[in-house]
Amino acid sequence: MSANGDKARLIVTFFAKSRPSSHDNFRSQSLACGPTFSQLLTSQLSPAESILDSHRTLAPGIFQSVYSVTIPLPKPEKLRHHTSITAFEALHALEIIWDLVPDGTANDFRPVKLAVFDMDSTLINEEVIDELARSIGITSAVAAITARAMNGELEFEQSLRERLALLKGVKADVWDELKKTVTIAAGAKDLVDYLRERHVLTVVVSGGFAPMALWLKEQLGLDYAFANHLVVSPSNAAYPYPHLSGELSPEHPIVVPEYKKRVLESLAQEHSIPLSETFVVGDGSNDLLMLGAAGLGVAWRAKAKVQREAPQRLNGTTLSDLIFLLGGQESRDA
């Protein structure tokens, strides 16, 4: 797909920032996302050609247009930052997800065989390290470092070690309590179930901690879980119970951004899956490398830096919305 004149399918999915409450609003927004947008897109792709093949409503406030296009053309991640596109999004209160797939792909959608997810603030609602801090009353100090690290203001490994040092003395059985209070994100189970039904390998790779990642693997039925391992120290005079030492295990790899990307690439290679057939979702700056390496990488309710730099971004209320990007659920003509 490199020569001029080659064909591809450009799939453009529109998500209303607030779902329409009336049929009239719903209909007018759908029309804006069809022919009106097509005129705008044609001007942006020139001299490449684009033909609107279909425009459909997937759910209230969610629409999708499929175009036949000639390539080369701007990468989808470049298109989404064009001033005319961002102005269209602002005018119609939309977020637009772009995907480019080879012509002739079944059902017009990217074939996905491997899906990799971040854990904290993605598949679960919390940042586990902040919950550990809460258990010993130092939430503010740790959360401040977490926020800066996830927004890319601090180098991830350094910030992780700094936060862990503050957590020395947390009881080693704290995970049992966290499993009772940590909440799985809305739509996570529906999304994973959809993928599993289609025999997609599902993975969580987290800069958080192995006990919670393994628990989440069980809860959602994921195929793999990767996360950081912590050292547990025995009882002593200062802490008369088994406790976290405040250190990472030297016997296990540290889950830094490069490691996350390496997990994606190695699993794809191990299972003979092209990277073009991978799907990645995450929210933090430590997810950017794997988001960029995936066939389709979506930053979900992400930090500001990640919103700007990820290939695609979406700020919805349920992860099940991502199913629409993969060809899921029945749609009807708009």
Side-chain angles (χ1 to χ4, degrees):
M1 285 188 28
S2 59
N4 287 335
D6 284 354
K7 296 289 183 69
R9 308 284 276 178
L10 182 64
I11 304 163
V12 186
T13 310
F14 307 83
F15 294 85
K17 290 184 177 180
S18 59
R19 301 296 163 85
S21 58
S22 74
H23 176 76
D24 289 343
N25 289 341
F26 173 63
R27 182 67 178 172
S28 64
Q29 196 170 36
S30 173
L31 291 174
C33 296
T36 302
F37 182 81
S38 296
Q39 296 171 11
L40 173 63
L41 183 64
T42 298
S43 68
Q44 297 308 313
L45 294 184
S46 180
E49 298 177 356
S50 65
I51 299 173
L52 177 62
D53 286 338
S54 64
H55 177 66
R56 51 199 172 189
T57 299
L58 301 172
I62 303 177
F63 320 97
Q64 195 169 74
S65 294
V66 179
Y67 298 85
S68 290
V69 295
T70 56
I71 54 176
L73 75 165
K75 291 182 178 180
E77 52 266 38
K78 299 280 189 183
L79 279 171
R80 87 169 181 92
H81 287 296
H82 196 281
T83 53
S84 62
I85 299 298
T86 57
F88 184 90
E89 286 183 312
L91 176 64
H92 296 286
L94 297 165
E95 289 186 314
I96 301 174
I97 300 289
W98 307 73
D99 197 13
L100 185 67
V101 300
D103 195 37
T105 301
N107 301 320
D108 291 333
F109 290 94
R110 177 179 300 278
V112 170
K113 296 179 182 175
L114 171 63
V116 179
F117 298 92
D118 176 44
M119 180 173 72
D120 294 29
S121 298
T122 302
L123 289 180
I124 64 174
N125 293 313
E126 296 80 8
E127 293 285 338
V128 169
I129 198 164
D130 294 348
E131 299 304 304
L132 291 174
R134 194 185 313 279
S135 73
I136 58 171
I138 59 169
T139 306
S140 297
V142 171
I145 301 174
T146 300
R148 293 180 66 197
M150 291 301 98
N151 203 34
E153 298 172 25
L154 296 174
E155 191 272 331
F156 183 78
E157 182 177 344
Q158 174 194 352
S159 72
L160 178 59
R161 292 186 184 277
E162 288 179 9
R163 287 174 288 166
L164 285 178
L166 296 174
L167 297 175
K168 181 177 180 179
V170 171
K171 291 183 177 180
D173 63 0
V174 67
W175 311 111
D176 295 333
E177 289 303 313
L178 288 186
K179 291 170 188 176
K180 297 174 186 177
T181 58
V182 162
T183 53
I184 294 174
K189 186 170 185 349
D190 290 336
L191 175 57
V192 172
D193 286 350
Y194 172 83
L195 293 166
R196 285 170 51 80
E197 287 168 4
R198 285 149 185 79
H199 310 291
V200 176
L201 285 173
T202 54
V203 183
V204 59
V205 55
S206 173
F209 308 113
M212 297 307 295
L214 292 170
W215 167 81
L216 186 64
K217 175 178 178 286
E218 284 186 15
Q219 295 298 304
L220 294 180
L222 303 168
D223 295 297
Y224 296 94
F226 301 87
N228 290 305
H229 292 254
L230 302 180
V231 174
V232 175
S233 295
S235 303
N236 56 34
Y239 304 103
Y241 47 80
H243 59 276
L244 303 184
S245 72
E247 298 176 343
L248 292 163
S249 168
E251 298 176 2
H252 296 88
I254 301 171
V255 183
V256 294
E258 294 78 8
Y259 181 80
K260 287 192 168 193
K261 179 173 178 280
R262 200 153 58 241
V263 166
L264 170 70
E265 293 171 338
S266 62
L267 284 175
Q269 183 176 28
E270 178 184 343
H271 293 278
S272 302
I273 297 170
L275 282 175
S276 63
E277 297 180 5
T278 63
F279 175 56
V280 169
V281 182
D283 78 300
S285 62
N286 60 332
D287 298 316
L288 280 169
L289 289 180
M290 70 171 182
L291 287 167
L296 178 58
V298 180
W300 175 252
R301 298 176 62 90
K303 312 304 183 287
K305 172 185 172 71
V306 186
Q307 297 260 0
R308 294 191 301 269
E309 297 184 13
Q312 304 296 325
R313 58 81 177 91
L314 189 60
N315 295 283
T317 58
T318 172
L319 283 164
S320 61
D321 280 353
L322 298 177
I323 294 172
F324 292 118
L325 305 178
L326 307 174
Q329 303 191 22
E330 293 294 323
S331 60
R332 58 184 176 82
D333 292 339

